[in-house]
Amino acid sequence: MHIAARPPADRAGKLLAEGPEASLAAALTRHIRLCAAVTTAAASVAWAIAGPIGTRGRADTVALVAW
């Protein structure tokens, strides 16, 4: 959403002509991949830490909350 809400640079006319797929595709894909990697890492670390401390169900819940 942040990328879509950002005002275009000095080439606004060109961006309007090419459409959202062409102007946002690479940046949006990169942002989605980064968010997915960070979320996966956070949930995995939370699950790994909570596993030895409590039950498997509790570790799953902790990972879900970290997600």
Side-chain angles (χ1 to χ4, degrees):
M1 190 60 159
H2 172 72
I3 295 171
R6 177 170 64 166
D10 57 338
R11 51 190 184 111
K14 182 182 175 191
L15 290 174
L16 288 172
E18 67 187 15
E21 291 82 18
S23 60
L24 292 176
L28 188 56
T29 301
R30 188 171 46 253
H31 184 71
I32 289 171
R33 286 182 180 158
L34 175 65
C35 288
V38 170
T39 301
T40 300
S44 297
V45 168
W47 183 82
I49 292 172
I53 296 172
T55 64
R56 166 85 189 251
R58 185 169 295 172
D60 292 346
T61 303
V62 168
L64 181 63
V65 170
W67 177 67

